[in-house]
Amino acid sequence: MEAFDLLAQGFAVALTPTGLFSIFMGVLIGQIVGALPGLGPAAGMALLLPVTFGMDPNAAVMMLAGILYGGMYGGTITSVLINVPGESSSVMAAIDGHQLARRGRAGAALAVAAVGSFFAGVVGTVALAFAAVGLSAIALRFNAPEFFLLAVLGIIATASLGTGSPTKALLMGAVGLAIGAVGTDPISGNARLTFGNSYLVDGFDFLPVAIGLFGIAEVLVSLENVHAEKPITTRLRDMWMTSAEWAQSRMAVLRGSAIGFVVGLMPGAGATVAAFLAYVVERRFSRNPEMFGKGALDGVAASESANNSSVTGALAPMLALGIPGSTGTAVLLAALVLQGIRPGPTLMADQPILVWSLIASMFIGNVVLLVMNLPLAPLFAALLRVPYVLLAPAILVFSLVGAYAATMSFVTMVVAMGFGIVGYLMIKADLPRAPLVLALVLAPLLEESLRQSLLLSLGSPMIFVERPFALALLITVIVFLAMPFVLRRFSKAGV
Amino acid sequence: MSMSTETFASIRRTALVAAALASITVGSEHAVAQTPRAPNGPIEITVGCGAGCTPDVLMRRAAKIWNDQRLISNPIVFDNRAGGGMAPAMKHVLDRRGDENSVMALAGPVFSTPITQGTETTYDKFTPLGVFVQTQLILLTQPNHPAKSLKEMVEAARARPKAIRLAGSSAGGTDDQVMGLIEKATGVDMTFIPHSGGGAALATFLGGNTELSLLTIDEALPQMQSGKARPLAIFNQARRTEANLKDIPTAKEQGVDVVWGQVFGLLGAPGLDPAVLAWWTDRIRALTASEAWKASIAENLLGGEVYVGPGLPAQMKLFHEQRLEVLRAIGAAKL
């Protein structure tokens, strides 16, 4: 019952005018930076860090956290409307959400994302409030060997992405892994495949690649037959989600929230991996898996719920142990340090008001975000009624500004344009783009964790069998790999 | 840093006196007398890592005190250019020759990145303004590990080569350097496990996957207090005097002659007007003499050695040479 007392005290702080103002500003800014491609929540928090200097620590943390989860709501908007992920974890929403938008269901996609995010945020916060310490302890048992197997599962799952042949999907996944190898060797620190170019030392960031492959490539293809592109004519009141659509997405929201939270707990896995895993799991459970990649509302629901709950999950190791699991939580920790608060395992005991007002603020913030997003979903969707000749240049400008904002360097704009052309050629050659992008996200996790595992075990591969979680994941990997062959055998035997 | 601590302690005392009479003494200390002149307009501090990284936090604190105490009236803004071992951030400032408003936050990679990437050194291209804050490092082990001291840990490493593992951030970074120094000082062979960041490395250690972790004091303290980690050694010249830190022995007193820390400060653009340099020298002295700064150093368990004025370029060279030596010893140097 102690937790309830503390939570009540937290609400007392969060519900003061200052508290409410900070929450509102935080989620509003989060919504905006989330929607702007390139400028993610972490960058938005960093920009506001100096402002929080003079603020009361509780208010500062409530506002910064608001940006963090608010960004997850905002990221969906540009993904769905113009196929440009607002931030990296919204990439799955770009794939299916935009297909839905082209069928005039943008409103539904945005609405389900908002409801899913709200549910995920609230459930995640409850779990955070009552089990942060215990959950973080379990999360710590996930380390390099488990991350490696998780990444392997992801790579296998890329084969099921896209609508065409699995071979093509796997091939594109391999291309993504190869692109992911450019940059700095994560273990030795040596430059690799950079051809002496100092701009390639950090490798290809995922965001400009995704902006190019999805946003720009799409515009290029559409421009070929710009007069055939009919603006969407759906009436405003028909843009909301129907009850059938909601029924279809309910379970996806539930599963997405759970997966996202668990992945979020693991320091280093990240919201993008969470969204992706939720998406591929949902494809297995979905009643219409054939719709995935062509505009599956449940796919959008699962991935958007997952990225929001993963952000909440990532707060658990931060609050309970002082471990920042993502860039966003790292900025949040920095804000605490700047305020003279020392994060670590003693934080929850030393600063109960700070921690509990943060938790309380997240309940309030998620409600604010839901209220902000639901009525706006059809309005945003109505933007697509603008004729495509006007929309196309706007998307291009938006994409390139986003690429620039990510690093403040023109090089990323060139990268985005280059991958725009690559994406155009891939569409023409009927090659799926999603596996490439996801392999690029998974590549660093895959490589780093494999090599860390083998360093930890002093070279022995038995590390993947000796650890209980690793063993469970290894069995899952084997089952996934064997399933197609086994199923084929059974179906043959049946005939 | 080990060789110069005493020399610079005395410089620091001079600095404190000088700060009181700032405008008079600063000029006379320079080879050519310079009347300090403040730059016009906002000062932009370029930080080579994301908001919230150590140099970012330290310089934001300094900037706040400069502005709050009206020691500097120019607005101070921050520009975080993360990645590439700080190379893009360094290039950003190095390209602005003579620019009085562009300043770079000094951190380890300014020295180590050119060494590990085999490119031209950069530390000597900037106009150094001052090195005025250090983080100090503690080596920690698992609470239940049988080794009770650094000495016993070294023996354990000697008995089983490579079996003692340290989870740290990037290869060639401070954690890797300190492990290399310990190996060099004792002749043992340990395993360094690089991570993409300090948070991930800490998670690996707290998950019980490695024997060792290297943290700054303020990061280490909460882990020690909650019993999740046990200190083996601090890499200072002498022990800290605070009640909760005084029992941590130095590596040196345990027979492992390693004194190491991370240094932070500010670097001006190349070819900076000596009058502006004199102004920065003066402002850094005023900052480090202020009660607010001293309180922040004490509260955050930092080192407050101040290196400014005519001796600074030689000190920068020394910092570089020490890092070059370590990185060569661990095989990470390409220079």
Side-chain angles (χ1 to χ4, degrees):
Chain A
M1 286 305 100
E2 199 200 348
F4 282 105
D5 285 346
L6 288 165
L7 189 58
Q9 288 181 36
F11 268 108
V13 176
L15 286 171
T16 57
T18 330
L20 285 174
F21 179 73
S22 321
I23 297 167
F24 181 73
M25 284 314 288
V27 296
L28 182 67
I29 295 166
Q31 174 92 24
I32 294 167
V33 297
L36 296 174
L39 200 61
M45 292 164 77
L47 283 175
L48 276 183
L49 207 53
V51 182
T52 64
F53 242 143
M55 286 169 73
D56 158 61
N58 300 324
V61 170
M62 288 192 277
M63 186 174 86
L64 289 173
I67 300 177
L68 189 58
Y69 56 82
M72 295 295 137
Y73 282 78
T76 327
I77 300 170
T78 41
S79 293
V80 170
L81 296 185
I82 60 174
N83 204 12
V84 177
E87 39 85 40
S88 51
S89 65
S90 297
V91 61
M92 306 315 296
I95 298 170
D96 278 88
H98 188 63
Q99 292 299 325
L100 283 164
R102 300 194 131 202
R103 297 207 313 261
R105 299 310 303 149
L110 290 173
V112 81
V115 174
S117 295
F118 171 75
F119 179 82
V122 170
V123 170
T125 309
V126 171
L128 180 67
F130 297 103
V133 178
L135 288 172
S136 309
I138 298 171
L140 277 184
R141 302 190 54 184
F142 268 77
N143 203 265
E146 290 79 15
F147 286 149
F148 170 67
L149 292 165
L150 211 56
V152 170
L153 264 182
I155 295 287
I156 295 172
T158 55
S160 63
L161 288 177
T163 47
S165 90
T167 318
K168 276 185 182 175
L170 274 178
L171 257 173
M172 289 304 107
V175 172
L177 286 178
I179 296 172
V182 175
T184 305
D185 181 310
I187 301 298
S188 74
N190 287 324
R192 187 171 66 181
L193 299 171
T194 60
F195 303 99
N197 185 335
S198 62
Y199 292 106
L200 290 180
V201 167
D202 277 336
F204 286 101
D205 184 27
F206 154 82
L207 213 55
V209 173
I211 288 173
L213 282 183
F214 292 121
I216 298 176
E218 208 74 35
V219 172
L220 292 179
V221 168
S222 305
L223 283 180
E224 286 182 345
N225 45 1
V226 72
H227 295 293
E229 290 279 336
K230 288 236 166 21
I232 288 155
T233 49
T234 322
R235 282 174 309 169
L236 204 56
R237 66 185 141 99
D238 293 336
M239 283 189 175
W240 230 75
M241 172 166 59
T242 62
S243 54
E245 283 171 330
W246 172 237
Q248 179 199 343
S249 312
R250 260 186 329 216
M251 292 311 285
V253 166
L254 210 63
R255 282 188 284 263
S257 304
I259 292 170
F261 189 81
V262 172
V263 174
L265 282 174
M266 304 171 196
T272 312
V273 174
F276 172 47
L277 280 179
Y279 179 88
V280 294
V281 168
E282 199 50 44
R283 193 173 195 271
R284 299 253 155 216
F285 281 99
S286 175
R287 281 203 208 108
N288 23 1
E290 73 287 349
M291 286 307 289
F292 276 63
K294 293 184 195 151
L297 195 63
D298 42 355
V300 175
S303 63
E304 284 304 300
S305 309
N307 68 21
N308 206 42
S309 64
S310 87
V311 165
T312 316
L315 285 172
M318 184 208 124
L319 294 175
L321 303 165
I323 299 174
S326 62
T327 12
T329 44
V331 179
L332 205 53
L333 270 193
L336 294 179
V337 172
L338 280 169
Q339 295 272 3
I341 294 162
R342 203 166 289 143
T346 50
L347 183 72
M348 294 183 92
D350 292 348
Q351 302 281 348
I353 295 298
L354 181 106
V355 172
W356 287 94
S357 61
L358 168 64
I359 291 172
S361 81
M362 292 172 63
F363 286 111
I364 302 166
N366 274 295
V367 174
V368 174
L369 281 164
L370 185 70
V371 171
M372 229 191 270
N373 278 279
L374 266 190
L376 287 181
L379 278 181
F380 279 127
L383 280 179
L384 291 182
R385 293 199 288 202
V386 173
Y388 200 75
V389 266
L390 300 177
L391 204 56
I395 296 174
L396 275 182
V397 169
F398 212 54
S399 299
L400 291 176
V401 169
Y404 179 76
T407 54
M408 297 291 182
S409 154
F410 285 104
V411 181
T412 35
M413 286 174 72
V414 176
V415 169
M417 285 192 271
F419 276 95
I421 295 165
V422 172
Y424 171 80
L425 296 174
M426 287 172 75
I427 296 174
K428 289 280 150 188
D430 194 27
L431 294 169
R433 291 163 292 161
L436 193 159
V437 171
L438 287 157
L440 185 61
V441 176
L442 293 170
L445 186 68
L446 185 81
E447 182 189 5
E448 205 178 310
S449 56
L450 172 63
R451 294 173 65 184
Q452 282 169 346
S453 304
L454 294 174
L455 280 171
L456 282 170
S457 69
L458 309 178
S460 158
M462 292 307 284
I463 191 165
F464 299 111
V465 185
E466 287 163 359
R467 299 164 62 108
F469 282 124
L471 184 63
L473 281 167
L474 185 65
I475 293 169
T476 319
V477 167
I478 293 167
V479 168
F480 262 74
L481 279 176
M483 212 146 60
F485 301 101
V486 176
L487 286 180
R488 203 180 306 160
R489 212 183 197 137
F490 268 102
S491 60
K492 267 184 195 157
V495 173
Chain B
M1 197 153 38
S2 56
M3 281 177 278
S4 56
T5 309
E6 275 176 27
T7 333
F8 281 92
S10 72
I11 288 193
R12 190 187 177 205
R13 277 192 292 277
T14 321
L16 295 182
V17 178
L21 307 158
S23 57
I24 310 162
T25 48
V26 164
S28 65
E29 269 186 32
H30 283 263
V32 183
Q34 278 295 342
T35 314
R37 178 177 65 81
N40 281 321
I43 294 165
E44 185 185 70
I45 300 183
T46 301
V47 184
C49 46
C53 65
T54 308
D56 182 71
V57 169
L58 294 174
M59 291 308 128
R60 281 180 202 260
R61 270 194 205 128
K64 181 170 162 59
I65 295 174
W66 267 320
N67 282 162
D68 281 1
Q69 315 252 330
R70 303 189 188 284
L71 296 171
I72 291 180
S73 52
N74 312 49
I76 302 177
V77 293
F78 282 81
D79 179 18
N80 294 84
R81 290 171 183 265
M86 297 201 178
M90 290 195 272
K91 187 176 182 313
H92 178 74
V93 179
L94 287 173
D95 284 349
R96 282 163 177 69
R97 196 176 171 78
D99 186 334
E100 299 173 2
N101 301 80
S102 288
V103 173
M104 165 97 195
L106 170 70
V110 170
F111 299 106
S112 60
T113 297
I115 301 175
T116 54
Q117 293 185 356
T119 53
E120 219 182 332
T121 55
T122 50
Y123 80 93
D124 48 357
K125 309 289 184 293
F126 290 101
T127 307
L129 305 177
V131 176
F132 50 93
V133 52
Q134 298 83 33
T135 54
Q136 302 172 349
L137 304 163
I138 295 182
L139 186 70
L140 301 145
T141 190
Q142 300 292 346
N144 56 0
H145 195 277
K148 295 289 168 242
S149 63
L150 177 59
K151 220 175 164 161
E152 288 181 28
M153 188 58 83
V154 167
E155 288 322 308
R158 207 184 299 285
R160 293 179 57 211
K162 290 197 185 289
I164 303 296
R165 300 158 294 182
L166 184 136
S169 44
S170 64
T174 301
D175 305 337
D176 199 3
Q177 291 169 14
V178 170
M179 200 189 87
L181 285 165
I182 298 172
E183 288 179 325
K184 191 162 159 264
T186 59
V188 299
D189 192 4
M190 301 190 283
T191 299
F192 181 72
I193 301 176
H195 289 75
S196 48
L202 182 59
T204 296
F205 172 76
L206 290 178
N209 300 295
T210 65
E211 287 74 24
L212 299 173
S213 167
L214 188 77
L215 297 179
T216 61
I217 303 181
D218 63 322
E219 290 165 346
L221 207 54
Q223 305 297 344
M224 283 154 50
Q225 283 166 344
S226 60
K228 297 196 185 299
R230 188 159 48 80
L232 289 176
I234 185 163
F235 295 93
N236 286 7
Q237 192 68 246
R239 290 191 187 201
R240 297 276 311 193
T241 49
E242 293 86 352
N244 46 7
L245 298 170
K246 68 176 170 42
D247 294 329
I248 305 173
T250 64
K252 216 173 167 172
E253 69 184 86
Q254 299 182 70
V256 179
D257 192 5
V258 178
V259 178
W260 204 249
Q262 295 164 295
V263 294
F264 302 94
L266 291 176
L267 304 167
L272 185 67
D273 183 344
V276 177
L277 169 62
W279 177 81
W280 273 111
T281 305
D282 181 26
R283 296 299 91 192
I284 291 171
R285 285 179 176 161
L287 168 81
T288 51
S290 71
E291 287 309 317
W293 179 255
K294 286 187 205 160
S296 157
I297 292 282
E299 188 187 323
N300 295 293
L301 307 163
L302 297 160
E305 296 296 331
V306 181
Y307 311 99
V308 280
L312 183 58
Q315 182 60 37
M316 289 290 288
K317 189 161 188 288
L318 185 64
F319 285 140
H320 165 73
E321 281 163 0
Q322 290 169 338
R323 280 150 187 80
L324 180 62
E325 196 189 331
V326 180
L327 290 167
R328 276 188 178 148
I330 60 177
K334 285 205 193 138
L335 277 189

